Tab-separated table of all heavy atoms in Angstrom:
chain	number	residue	atom	x	y	z
E	55	ALA	N	7.853	1.209	25.912
E	55	ALA	CA	8.816	0.113	26.050
E	55	ALA	C	8.341	-1.171	25.392
E	55	ALA	O	9.160	-1.981	24.935
E	55	ALA	CB	9.096	-0.126	27.534
E	56	VAL	N	7.027	-1.414	25.353
E	56	VAL	CA	6.527	-2.642	24.722
E	56	VAL	C	6.929	-2.678	23.256
E	56	VAL	O	7.324	-3.727	22.727
E	56	VAL	CB	4.996	-2.728	24.861
E	56	VAL	CG1	4.456	-3.919	24.092
E	56	VAL	CG2	4.597	-2.835	26.323
E	57	THR	N	6.842	-1.543	22.592
E	57	THR	CA	7.220	-1.479	21.179
E	57	THR	C	8.696	-1.820	20.993
E	57	THR	O	9.057	-2.604	20.104
E	57	THR	CB	6.923	-0.067	20.631
E	57	THR	OG1	5.513	0.132	20.610
E	57	THR	CG2	7.474	0.112	19.234
E	58	VAL	N	9.552	-1.250	21.834
E	58	VAL	CA	10.990	-1.527	21.728
E	58	VAL	C	11.286	-2.992	22.024
E	58	VAL	O	12.059	-3.650	21.303
E	58	VAL	CB	11.780	-0.616	22.690
E	58	VAL	CG1	13.266	-0.949	22.652
E	58	VAL	CG2	11.564	0.853	22.321
E	59	ALA	N	10.675	-3.528	23.068
E	59	ALA	CA	10.921	-4.921	23.452
E	59	ALA	C	10.409	-5.883	22.391
E	59	ALA	O	11.083	-6.858	22.032
E	59	ALA	CB	10.266	-5.215	24.800
E	60	ALA	N	9.210	-5.624	21.874
E	60	ALA	CA	8.646	-6.522	20.857
E	60	ALA	C	9.493	-6.533	19.597
E	60	ALA	O	9.665	-7.577	18.955
E	60	ALA	CB	7.215	-6.096	20.538
E	61	ALA	N	10.053	-5.388	19.234
E	61	ALA	CA	10.899	-5.324	18.038
E	61	ALA	C	12.127	-6.207	18.179
E	61	ALA	O	12.591	-6.818	17.209
E	61	ALA	CB	11.313	-3.882	17.770
E	62	GLN	N	12.645	-6.303	19.395
E	62	GLN	CA	13.851	-7.096	19.610
E	62	GLN	C	13.578	-8.596	19.592
E	62	GLN	O	14.521	-9.391	19.629
E	62	GLN	CB	14.500	-6.675	20.922
E	62	GLN	CG	15.063	-5.266	20.856
E	62	GLN	CD	15.537	-4.743	22.195
E	62	GLN	OE1	15.073	-5.185	23.242
E	62	GLN	NE2	16.454	-3.798	22.176
E	63	THR	N	12.300	-8.991	19.545
E	63	THR	CA	11.969	-10.419	19.424
E	63	THR	C	11.905	-10.852	17.964
E	63	THR	O	11.662	-12.028	17.685
E	63	THR	CB	10.621	-10.728	20.098
E	63	THR	OG1	9.562	-10.038	19.414
E	63	THR	CG2	10.637	-10.322	21.557
E	64	LEU	N	12.099	-9.934	17.012
E	64	LEU	CA	12.113	-10.317	15.601
E	64	LEU	C	13.246	-11.311	15.353
E	64	LEU	O	14.348	-11.157	15.905
E	64	LEU	CB	12.310	-9.081	14.719
E	64	LEU	CG	11.117	-8.121	14.598
E	64	LEU	CD1	11.552	-6.830	13.915
E	64	LEU	CD2	9.983	-8.784	13.829
E	65	PRO	N	13.017	-12.326	14.541
E	65	PRO	CA	14.073	-13.317	14.285
E	65	PRO	C	15.272	-12.691	13.583
E	65	PRO	O	15.155	-11.679	12.888
E	65	PRO	CB	13.374	-14.352	13.386
E	65	PRO	CG	12.205	-13.638	12.802
E	65	PRO	CD	11.770	-12.633	13.820
E	66	GLU	N	16.434	-13.298	13.790
E	66	GLU	CA	17.672	-12.758	13.225
E	66	GLU	C	17.656	-12.725	11.711
E	66	GLU	O	18.358	-11.915	11.089
E	66	GLU	CB	18.868	-13.588	13.718
E	66	GLU	CG	19.121	-13.480	15.205
E	66	GLU	CD	19.499	-12.068	15.633
E	66	GLU	OE1	20.087	-11.341	14.798
E	66	GLU	OE2	19.197	-11.695	16.778
E	67	ASP	N	16.874	-13.632	11.076
E	67	ASP	CA	16.855	-13.671	9.607
E	67	ASP	C	15.795	-12.756	9.007
E	67	ASP	O	15.546	-12.792	7.801
E	67	ASP	CB	16.640	-15.105	9.118
E	67	ASP	CG	15.325	-15.705	9.615
E	67	ASP	OD1	14.660	-15.076	10.471
E	67	ASP	OD2	14.961	-16.810	9.150
E	68	ALA	N	15.159	-11.925	9.837
E	68	ALA	CA	14.166	-10.987	9.317
E	68	ALA	C	14.859	-9.985	8.394
E	68	ALA	O	15.951	-9.490	8.709
E	68	ALA	CB	13.472	-10.256	10.458
E	69	PRO	N	14.256	-9.669	7.251
E	69	PRO	CA	14.904	-8.716	6.338
E	69	PRO	C	15.012	-7.325	6.966
E	69	PRO	O	14.071	-6.851	7.607
E	69	PRO	CB	13.954	-8.695	5.118
E	69	PRO	CG	12.651	-9.189	5.636
E	69	PRO	CD	12.977	-10.162	6.731
E	70	HIS	N	16.177	-6.723	6.799
E	70	HIS	CA	16.428	-5.377	7.338
E	70	HIS	C	16.174	-5.308	8.846
E	70	HIS	O	15.685	-4.296	9.356
E	70	HIS	CB	15.544	-4.331	6.644
E	70	HIS	CG	15.617	-4.352	5.150
E	70	HIS	ND1	16.699	-3.872	4.456
E	70	HIS	CD2	14.730	-4.814	4.223
E	70	HIS	CE1	16.480	-4.010	3.153
E	70	HIS	NE2	15.305	-4.582	2.988
E	71	ARG	N	16.535	-6.360	9.569
E	71	ARG	CA	16.199	-6.404	11.004
E	71	ARG	C	16.724	-5.191	11.788
E	71	ARG	O	15.971	-4.603	12.572
E	71	ARG	CB	16.724	-7.702	11.637
E	71	ARG	CG	16.294	-7.858	13.095
E	71	ARG	CD	16.874	-9.124	13.722
E	71	ARG	NE	16.341	-9.324	15.060
E	71	ARG	CZ	16.804	-8.726	16.154
E	71	ARG	NH1	17.824	-7.884	16.061
E	71	ARG	NH2	16.255	-8.960	17.333
E	72	PRO	N	18.009	-4.796	11.624
E	72	PRO	CA	18.474	-3.622	12.386
E	72	PRO	C	17.635	-2.375	12.109
E	72	PRO	O	17.347	-1.596	13.022
E	72	PRO	CB	19.921	-3.441	11.932
E	72	PRO	CG	20.340	-4.799	11.463
E	72	PRO	CD	19.113	-5.390	10.835
E	73	LEU	N	17.234	-2.206	10.841
E	73	LEU	CA	16.410	-1.053	10.494
E	73	LEU	C	15.039	-1.151	11.162
E	73	LEU	O	14.522	-0.151	11.684
E	73	LEU	CB	16.258	-0.951	8.974
E	73	LEU	CG	15.287	0.119	8.469
E	73	LEU	CD1	15.753	1.502	8.896
E	73	LEU	CD2	15.135	0.026	6.942
E	74	LEU	N	14.444	-2.325	11.137
E	74	LEU	CA	13.118	-2.499	11.738
E	74	LEU	C	13.161	-2.212	13.240
E	74	LEU	O	12.259	-1.563	13.789
E	74	LEU	CB	12.595	-3.921	11.500
E	74	LEU	CG	12.468	-4.388	10.044
E	74	LEU	CD1	11.771	-5.747	9.985
E	74	LEU	CD2	11.708	-3.370	9.214
E	75	VAL	N	14.207	-2.702	13.902
E	75	VAL	CA	14.330	-2.464	15.347
E	75	VAL	C	14.503	-0.975	15.618
E	75	VAL	O	13.884	-0.430	16.546
E	75	VAL	CB	15.520	-3.266	15.926
E	75	VAL	CG1	15.738	-2.903	17.395
E	75	VAL	CG2	15.256	-4.762	15.793
E	76	PHE	N	15.324	-0.307	14.798
E	76	PHE	CA	15.533	1.127	15.021
E	76	PHE	C	14.254	1.920	14.746
E	76	PHE	O	13.941	2.876	15.466
E	76	PHE	CB	16.656	1.661	14.127
E	76	PHE	CG	16.878	3.144	14.296
E	76	PHE	CD1	17.598	3.625	15.392
E	76	PHE	CD2	16.339	4.058	13.403
E	76	PHE	CE1	17.781	4.989	15.570
E	76	PHE	CE2	16.514	5.424	13.583
E	76	PHE	CZ	17.240	5.884	14.667
E	77	VAL	N	13.508	1.558	13.691
E	77	VAL	CA	12.257	2.269	13.389
E	77	VAL	C	11.292	2.141	14.567
E	77	VAL	O	10.651	3.121	14.979
E	77	VAL	CB	11.617	1.722	12.093
E	77	VAL	CG1	10.181	2.210	11.946
E	77	VAL	CG2	12.443	2.146	10.889
E	78	ALA	N	11.182	0.929	15.134
E	78	ALA	CA	10.305	0.739	16.296
E	78	ALA	C	10.785	1.593	17.470
E	78	ALA	O	9.982	2.243	18.155
E	78	ALA	CB	10.277	-0.736	16.687
E	79	PHE	N	12.100	1.595	17.698
E	79	PHE	CA	12.671	2.411	18.768
E	79	PHE	C	12.379	3.897	18.533
E	79	PHE	O	11.986	4.630	19.461
E	79	PHE	CB	14.184	2.175	18.842
E	79	PHE	CG	14.897	3.020	19.863
E	79	PHE	CD1	15.042	2.587	21.171
E	79	PHE	CD2	15.426	4.254	19.515
E	79	PHE	CE1	15.697	3.368	22.118
E	79	PHE	CE2	16.077	5.044	20.435
E	79	PHE	CZ	16.213	4.602	21.752
E	80	ALA	N	12.552	4.346	17.299
E	80	ALA	CA	12.338	5.760	16.980
E	80	ALA	C	10.863	6.139	17.110
E	80	ALA	O	10.541	7.239	17.582
E	80	ALA	CB	12.841	6.058	15.575
E	81	VAL	N	9.954	5.248	16.691
E	81	VAL	CA	8.519	5.534	16.844
E	81	VAL	C	8.168	5.703	18.318
E	81	VAL	O	7.468	6.651	18.706
E	81	VAL	CB	7.674	4.399	16.216
E	81	VAL	CG1	6.210	4.539	16.635
E	81	VAL	CG2	7.782	4.410	14.703
E	82	ALA	N	8.663	4.781	19.168
E	82	ALA	CA	8.368	4.861	20.596
E	82	ALA	C	8.960	6.123	21.207
E	82	ALA	O	8.303	6.822	22.000
E	82	ALA	CB	8.906	3.620	21.312
E	83	THR	N	10.206	6.441	20.835
E	83	THR	CA	10.860	7.621	21.404
E	83	THR	C	10.176	8.910	20.941
E	83	THR	O	9.917	9.811	21.743
E	83	THR	CB	12.341	7.650	21.008
E	83	THR	OG1	12.966	6.422	21.423
E	83	THR	CG2	13.057	8.809	21.678
E	84	LEU	N	9.878	9.006	19.643
E	84	LEU	CA	9.179	10.187	19.137
E	84	LEU	C	7.803	10.333	19.773
E	84	LEU	O	7.369	11.440	20.106
E	84	LEU	CB	9.038	10.095	17.612
E	84	LEU	CG	10.309	10.307	16.791
E	84	LEU	CD1	10.042	9.997	15.314
E	84	LEU	CD2	10.803	11.751	16.936
E	85	SER	N	7.110	9.211	19.951
E	85	SER	CA	5.786	9.246	20.567
E	85	SER	C	5.857	9.795	21.984
E	85	SER	O	5.063	10.656	22.377
E	85	SER	CB	5.177	7.845	20.562
E	85	SER	OG	3.925	7.835	21.215
E	86	LEU	N	6.832	9.295	22.738
E	86	LEU	CA	6.974	9.759	24.121
E	86	LEU	C	7.347	11.239	24.181
E	86	LEU	O	6.778	12.003	24.969
E	86	LEU	CB	8.026	8.930	24.846
E	86	LEU	CG	7.599	7.535	25.306
E	86	LEU	CD1	8.803	6.768	25.836
E	86	LEU	CD2	6.535	7.634	26.388
E	87	LEU	N	8.304	11.650	23.339
E	87	LEU	CA	8.785	13.023	23.413
E	87	LEU	C	7.781	14.014	22.828
E	87	LEU	O	7.530	15.076	23.413
E	87	LEU	CB	10.129	13.140	22.689
E	87	LEU	CG	11.283	12.325	23.286
E	87	LEU	CD1	12.559	12.541	22.476
E	87	LEU	CD2	11.521	12.698	24.737
E	88	VAL	N	7.201	13.681	21.669
E	88	VAL	CA	6.279	14.609	21.006
E	88	VAL	C	4.909	14.585	21.685
E	88	VAL	O	4.394	15.623	22.134
E	88	VAL	CB	6.153	14.277	19.509
E	88	VAL	CG1	5.120	15.184	18.849
E	88	VAL	CG2	7.502	14.432	18.819
E	89	GLN	N	4.290	13.397	21.760
E	89	GLN	CA	2.961	13.318	22.369
E	89	GLN	C	3.030	13.537	23.884
E	89	GLN	O	2.245	14.299	24.447
E	89	GLN	CB	2.327	11.961	22.074
E	89	GLN	CG	2.003	11.731	20.602
E	89	GLN	CD	1.546	10.298	20.341
E	89	GLN	OE1	2.277	9.501	19.759
E	89	GLN	NE2	0.351	9.979	20.782
E	90	GLY	N	3.978	12.821	24.521
E	90	GLY	CA	4.083	12.948	25.969
E	90	GLY	C	4.492	14.333	26.416
E	90	GLY	O	4.056	14.811	27.463
E	91	GLY	N	5.325	15.004	25.602
E	91	GLY	CA	5.772	16.335	25.977
E	91	GLY	C	4.745	17.421	25.743
E	91	GLY	O	4.867	18.520	26.297
E	92	THR	N	3.727	17.138	24.925
E	92	THR	CA	2.723	18.164	24.599
E	92	THR	C	1.339	17.858	25.140
E	92	THR	O	0.463	18.726	25.064
E	92	THR	CB	2.619	18.334	23.070
E	92	THR	OG1	2.274	17.063	22.476
E	92	THR	CG2	3.939	18.809	22.487
E	93	VAL	N	1.105	16.647	25.656
E	93	VAL	CA	-0.251	16.306	26.086
E	93	VAL	C	-0.693	17.155	27.270
E	93	VAL	O	-1.878	17.508	27.382
E	93	VAL	CB	-0.345	14.796	26.410
E	93	VAL	CG1	0.415	14.443	27.686
E	93	VAL	CG2	-1.795	14.357	26.519
E	94	GLY	N	0.240	17.508	28.163
E	94	GLY	CA	-0.115	18.348	29.306
E	94	GLY	C	-0.606	19.723	28.873
E	94	GLY	O	-1.716	20.147	29.233
E	95	PRO	N	0.195	20.483	28.077
E	95	PRO	CA	-0.288	21.771	27.565
E	95	PRO	C	-1.562	21.641	26.734
E	95	PRO	O	-2.432	22.515	26.791
E	95	PRO	CB	0.882	22.270	26.712
E	95	PRO	CG	2.090	21.591	27.288
E	95	PRO	CD	1.611	20.258	27.747
E	96	LEU	N	-1.670	20.539	25.964
E	96	LEU	CA	-2.872	20.339	25.149
E	96	LEU	C	-4.113	20.222	26.030
E	96	LEU	O	-5.160	20.813	25.743
E	96	LEU	CB	-2.709	19.081	24.293
E	96	LEU	CG	-3.927	18.691	23.436
E	96	LEU	CD1	-4.206	19.756	22.387
E	96	LEU	CD2	-3.703	17.327	22.775
E	97	VAL	N	-4.005	19.458	27.110
E	97	VAL	CA	-5.127	19.295	28.029
E	97	VAL	C	-5.508	20.640	28.649
E	97	VAL	O	-6.694	20.974	28.780
E	97	VAL	CB	-4.778	18.261	29.125
E	97	VAL	CG1	-5.820	18.281	30.237
E	97	VAL	CG2	-4.685	16.873	28.523
E	98	LYS	N	-4.507	21.428	29.025
E	98	LYS	CA	-4.798	22.747	29.615
E	98	LYS	C	-5.531	23.642	28.635
E	98	LYS	O	-6.443	24.394	29.015
E	98	LYS	CB	-3.497	23.404	30.071
E	98	LYS	CG	-2.847	22.733	31.273
E	98	LYS	CD	-1.565	23.447	31.673
E	98	LYS	CE	-0.910	22.762	32.870
E	98	LYS	NZ	0.365	23.427	33.258
E	99	ILE	N	-5.142	23.588	27.353
E	99	ILE	CA	-5.799	24.415	26.342
E	99	ILE	C	-7.233	23.942	26.103
E	99	ILE	O	-8.174	24.740	26.043
E	99	ILE	CB	-4.998	24.389	25.020
E	99	ILE	CG1	-3.646	25.073	25.207
E	99	ILE	CG2	-5.786	25.043	23.892
E	99	ILE	CD1	-2.721	24.931	24.018
E	100	LEU	N	-7.401	22.620	25.980
E	100	LEU	CA	-8.722	22.073	25.668
E	100	LEU	C	-9.730	22.301	26.782
E	100	LEU	O	-10.912	22.537	26.524
E	100	LEU	CB	-8.604	20.577	25.353
E	100	LEU	CG	-7.900	20.197	24.041
E	100	LEU	CD1	-7.759	18.685	23.949
E	100	LEU	CD2	-8.693	20.722	22.840
E	101	PHE	N	-9.253	22.220	28.024
E	101	PHE	CA	-10.189	22.266	29.145
E	101	PHE	C	-10.014	23.529	29.998
E	101	PHE	O	-10.423	23.551	31.151
E	101	PHE	CB	-10.001	21.015	30.017
E	101	PHE	CG	-10.309	19.731	29.295
E	101	PHE	CD1	-9.280	18.962	28.763
E	101	PHE	CD2	-11.610	19.313	29.123
E	101	PHE	CE1	-9.548	17.791	28.077
E	101	PHE	CE2	-11.896	18.137	28.437
E	101	PHE	CZ	-10.870	17.372	27.911
E	102	ARG	N	-9.433	24.571	29.410
E	102	ARG	CA	-9.190	25.784	30.198
E	102	ARG	C	-10.486	26.493	30.572
E	102	ARG	O	-10.536	27.203	31.581
E	102	ARG	CB	-8.284	26.739	29.428
E	102	ARG	CG	-8.876	27.324	28.165
E	102	ARG	CD	-7.914	28.312	27.515
E	102	ARG	NE	-8.443	28.919	26.309
E	102	ARG	CZ	-8.366	28.382	25.103
E	102	ARG	NH1	-7.731	27.215	24.949
E	102	ARG	NH2	-8.883	28.982	24.048
């Protein structure tokens, strides 16, 4: 959420602002879904 919130503090005159906000949102969402969704199985494999 910090990434999403910080992106929304970009000034309105920032170049490509909607794109920058969406990229930050997508990075945070992908991180949560990909890393967060696999870290549990990864830990089980590493420490089995």
Side-chain angles (χ1 to χ4, degrees):
V56 174
T57 293
V58 177
Q62 292 172 335
T63 64
L64 287 169
E66 294 296 331
D67 60 351
H70 308 286
R71 185 182 186 278
L73 173 62
L74 302 187
V75 174
F76 178 79
V77 167
F79 177 89
V81 168
T83 304
L84 287 172
S85 177
L86 283 172
L87 297 180
V88 176
Q89 294 172 253
T92 58
V93 71
L96 177 65
V97 169
K98 290 180 181 179
I99 293 172
L100 290 175
F101 297 99
R102 66 177 181 275

